[in-house]
């Protein structure tokens, strides 16, 4: 069964750090790009960051660039999100999602075909 | 950055109705447009990719169309399980989601 399981969420004070992880199974992890998507309380979906199969292409939403770092460990089929300098507006349910492509390039149809159930991050003092 | 605007933001309909949701991109994105369904408390689920491709396992009452900047998701003959929030997403330049359309029971 194709599965993504997120972990690492919790309550953290503003300005502090948190590291999220996503364990993948049921598919060849290093054949696909991966992403983090978040959803604030009562809000819509926001793409956060993406990483190609070999970490050669990495991109971030403007709202997190310079504070968050996405990484992957293909040997252990895992995706990570290091979140520094957290703000109240980073409070959200964070989803891990599999891309249909090996890398994020123009000219190739891309979509998120597998999602985890999410892990909740709350930034509050 | 490419902005995606959905309309309406919310919609009330009855079982058996035909429903159309629209999505407009701030610049041309060819057919790099996907649609997702999200039920309360659940992760999003891919319905339509590349504007009109039906994801495996998705009922044929769902269909998508459009290209360039204007796109539509149509649900023919609404079923009780279709009441959810729907999001469009562009994949022309990384990813951007629309703000969502909440489909409620009338």
């Amino acid at each position: 069964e194709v599965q993504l399981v997120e972990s690492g969420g919790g309550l953290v004070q503003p300005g502090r750090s948190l590291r999220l992880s996503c364990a993948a199974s049921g598919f060849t992890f290093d054949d696909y790009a991966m992403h983090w998507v978040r959803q604030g309380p009562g809000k819509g979906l926001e793409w956060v960051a993406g990483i190609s199969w070999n970490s050669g292409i990495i991109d971030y939403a403007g709202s997190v660039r310079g504070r968050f770092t996405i990484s992957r460990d293909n040997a252990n089929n895992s995706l990570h999100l290091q979140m520094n300098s957290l703000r109240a507006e980073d409070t959200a349910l964070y989803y891990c999602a599999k891309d249909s492509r090996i890398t994020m390039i123009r000219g190739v149809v891309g979509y998120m075909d597998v999602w985890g159930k999410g892990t909740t991050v709350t930034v509050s003092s | 950055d490419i902005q995606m605007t959905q309309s309406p933001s919310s919609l009330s309909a009855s079982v058996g109705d035909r429903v159309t949701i629209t999505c407009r991109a701030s610049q041309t994105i060819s057919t790099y447009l996907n649609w997702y369904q999200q039920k309360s408390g659940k992760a999003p689920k891919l319905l339509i990719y590349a504007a009109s491709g039906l994801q495996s396992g998705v009922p044929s009452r769902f269909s998508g169309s459009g290209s360039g900047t204007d796109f539509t998701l149509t649900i023919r003959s609404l079923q009780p399980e279709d009441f959810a929030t729907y999001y469009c997403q562009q994949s022309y330049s990384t990813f951007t989601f629309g703000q969502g359309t909440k489909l409620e029971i009338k």
Side-chain angles (χ1 to χ4, degrees):
Chain A
E1 179 191 6
V2 176
Q3 196 172 13
L4 297 171
V5 179
E6 302 91 338
S7 61
L11 173 63
V12 61
Q13 292 179 329
R16 304 298 290 263
S17 300
L18 204 61
R19 186 179 193 238
L20 305 184
S21 296
C22 170
S25 60
F27 65 97
T28 304
F29 183 68
D30 56 9
D31 274 353
Y32 298 96
M34 297 292 295
H35 301 271
W36 288 99
V37 175
R38 68 184 181 184
Q39 186 168 35
K43 296 188 176 181
L45 301 170
E46 179 188 16
W47 173 80
V48 173
I51 185 168
S52 65
W53 71 282
N54 64 350
S55 306
I57 297 177
I58 289 174
D59 201 5
Y60 299 95
S63 58
V64 307
R65 188 173 289 120
R67 300 187 299 123
F68 289 12
T69 301
I70 188 172
S71 63
R72 65 189 295 160
D73 179 355
N74 287 343
N76 290 298
N77 293 341
S78 60
L79 177 73
H80 305 283
L81 186 68
Q82 177 67 41
M83 304 185 295
N84 298 333
S85 303
L86 282 161
R87 306 167 180 168
E89 53 264 36
D90 296 319
T91 294
L93 179 62
Y94 283 74
Y95 292 105
C96 167
K98 170 187 166 291
D99 199 314
S100 57
R101 304 165 295 182
I102 195 166
T103 188
M104 307 88 73
I105 57 172
R106 288 193 183 186
V108 178
V109 170
Y111 46 86
M112 298 173 181
D113 57 358
V114 181
W115 296 68
K117 294 183 178 180
T119 186
T120 300
V121 173
T122 303
V123 184
S124 175
S125 55
Chain B
D1 291 0
I2 301 174
Q3 307 302 318
M4 306 301 294
T5 304
Q6 289 181 232
S7 60
S9 295
S10 63
L11 176 61
S12 294
S14 301
V15 173
D17 283 355
R18 175 188 173 101
V19 165
T20 297
I21 298 169
T22 65
C23 179
R24 175 164 289 176
S26 60
Q27 66 183 73
T28 184
I29 58 170
S30 184
T31 56
Y32 294 94
L33 191 285
N34 309 313
W35 289 98
Y36 298 84
Q37 175 195 66
Q38 187 179 34
K39 297 183 179 180
S40 182
K42 300 294 186 181
K45 171 188 173 183
L46 177 69
L47 297 176
I48 301 287
Y49 61 90
S52 60
L54 188 67
Q55 174 68 350
S56 175
V58 174
S60 59
R61 62 180 180 273
F62 290 91
S63 64
S65 64
S67 66
T69 60
D70 294 312
F71 303 87
T72 61
L73 172 70
T74 299
I75 311 173
R76 171 178 48 84
S77 188
L78 271 173
Q79 298 302 300
E81 61 267 29
D82 299 337
F83 293 94
T85 300
Y86 293 84
Y87 294 91
C88 64
Q89 177 204 51
Q90 67 82 18
S91 62
Y92 181 81
S93 175
T94 55
F95 288 111
T96 312
F97 291 92
Q99 82 278 15
T101 296
K102 187 173 184 178
L103 177 55
E104 299 174 305
I105 300 175
K106 185 182 287 184

